[in-house]
Amino acid sequence: MPKYLVVSTSGNPDSNSRRLGQIAFAHLQKRKVDPAWLDIKDLDLPLCDADKCYGTAAAQKLNKAVESADGILIAAPVYNFDVAAAAKNMIELTGSSWEEKIVGFLCAAGGNSSYMAVMAYANSLMLDFRTVIIPRFVYATGDSFDGDQVTDKKVVARIEQVADELIRFTEALRG
């Protein structure tokens, strides 16, 4: 049976991208696929220095989580028209553990102008590690939230679609 992982890549304790990830995680649980949750804000990850960083306990825990998953949803904030640096650092710390994974994206941003921000990140995963990128992702702006709640029902429906697509792709390719 394939294994699923939802990773929140925001360091912000009041993260909207984490909220997207939590909805996806809950949906995967309802689908009874036994997903794992990982929040990098709880790991105290080092910056990738291409040397000693890989031996840290936090980097090894992250690497093991990515390596053991078949399908992964990445919940990431968009800052300055790009996926946040912490998400890229996550890939740099785990490298080849991403090989041939099925990956989907859940992004939260302040406005509409960065809706293509995930593309460079996705291309890196596809070209470097031959990941299969789900051709549907979630991009939500601040208007989709009211405090801790995602109030835009279309965004919630898209999150559930992406989670369902993660299952479908993963079972078809790895199941």
Side-chain angles (χ1 to χ4, degrees):
M1 182 171 177
K3 294 181 181 176
Y4 300 92
L5 175 66
V6 180
V7 183
S8 172
T9 64
S10 177
N12 182 349
D14 192 34
S15 168
N16 282 337
S17 63
R18 182 175 300 108
R19 291 180 180 102
L20 301 176
Q22 289 167 334
I23 291 170
F25 181 74
H27 184 74
L28 291 171
Q29 286 179 313
K30 285 182 202 168
R31 293 282 314 269
K32 301 198 185 314
V33 295
D34 195 27
W37 171 264
L38 184 65
D39 197 329
I40 66 169
K41 80 169 177 50
D42 299 330
L43 292 180
D44 193 27
L45 289 171
L47 290 176
C48 184
D49 63 4
D51 187 25
K52 294 182 175 98
C53 62
Y54 307 113
T56 67
Q60 289 179 357
K61 179 177 181 177
L62 174 63
N63 192 56
K64 184 177 179 183
V66 171
E67 192 171 68
S68 67
D70 297 302
I72 302 169
L73 288 178
I74 300 170
V78 174
Y79 301 137
N80 299 311
F81 303 98
D82 206 350
V83 173
K88 183 160 184 335
N89 187 58
M90 175 183 69
I91 291 174
E92 292 168 346
L93 290 170
T94 52
S96 63
S97 292
W98 290 92
E99 287 182 358
E100 301 181 11
K101 304 296 182 188
I102 313 322
V103 177
F105 298 98
L106 311 166
C107 297
N112 291 317
S113 299
S114 303
Y115 71 95
M116 296 295 285
V118 74
M119 294 312 298
Y121 192 76
N123 283 337
S124 175
L125 286 168
M126 283 190 307
L127 296 174
D128 291 342
F129 305 113
R130 295 168 307 287
T131 61
V132 174
I133 304 298
I134 297 170
R136 175 188 310 274
F137 67 95
V138 174
Y139 183 87
T141 65
D143 294 340
S144 300
F145 301 87
D146 184 13
D148 291 345
Q149 300 298 312
V150 179
T151 54
D152 186 330
K153 294 190 184 325
K154 289 181 181 177
V155 168
V156 172
R158 284 199 313 269
I159 293 167
E160 292 174 352
Q161 278 182 316
V162 169
D164 289 340
E165 289 289 280
L166 181 73
I167 295 169
R168 186 172 74 87
F169 273 65
T170 304
E171 287 180 350
L173 296 172
R174 302 288 294 271

